[in-house]
Amino acid sequence: MSREQLVRERLQAIQQILQDAGLWQSCAPNSEAFESQEPFCVDTMMPVQWLQWVLLPRMQAMLDAGAALPVKLAVAPYYEMALEGEIPARATLLHALNELDQLFEHDA
C-alpha cells in the first residue's frame, strides 16, 4: 500500500472517530476563524474544529491534487495537551493522530 493510501486511511479514521464521538460539526466556523495566523488556529478554533475544518480537508486536497505531502507532520503532541481528559474518545483520537504523524517521521 502506498504512503498516500495510508495517509488517506488515517484521515478517514480520524474523521470516523470524530463522528462516532459526536465531535463532528455540521456548520463550519465563521470565515474569520480560518484567517488566524496562530498554529492550529488556537485563537479562533477549538482543537477538534481545526482537525475537521483545516487538517482533514487540506490533507485530502493535497492527496486529490497529487501534491507533495508535508515532509514532517506532528499534530499529536499538541492534541495530547489541548484535549481535555473528559473529551469523548480522547485516547482513540490521540492514537489515530500518532499513527498519522508516524507516516511522516522517516522522510528526509
Side-chain angles (χ1 to χ4, degrees):
M1 185 176 293
S2 74
R3 179 171 172 243
E4 288 76 14
Q5 289 171 309
L6 290 170
V7 170
R8 280 186 196 277
E9 283 188 0
R10 300 294 198 286
L11 296 175
Q12 290 169 348
I14 292 165
Q15 178 175 338
Q16 192 64 54
I17 292 164
L18 292 172
Q19 289 172 332
D20 291 348
L23 300 171
W24 195 257
Q25 299 177 341
S26 57
C27 295
N30 64 44
S31 59
E32 292 82 27
F34 293 92
E35 296 170 10
S36 171
Q37 299 301 308
E38 297 294 321
F40 302 102
C41 298
V42 296
D43 58 337
T44 59
M45 291 187 195
M46 298 301 296
V48 293
Q49 286 180 306
W50 185 84
L51 283 175
Q52 178 180 350
W53 300 104
V54 179
L55 178 71
L56 296 179
R58 287 186 185 173
M59 292 291 289
Q60 193 64 51
M62 292 171 74
L63 289 164
D64 291 347
L69 293 173
V71 173
K72 181 79 172 153
L73 188 70
V75 296
Y78 167 68
Y79 281 88
E80 288 173 5
M81 293 176 30
L83 296 178
E84 298 109 19
E86 300 299 315
I87 193 166
R90 180 182 186 271
T92 306
L93 181 56
L94 289 175
H95 179 75
L97 292 171
N98 273 299
E99 285 187 331
L100 179 64
D101 286 352
Q102 288 171 10
L103 294 175
F104 297 87
E105 287 182 354
H106 301 293
D107 285 325

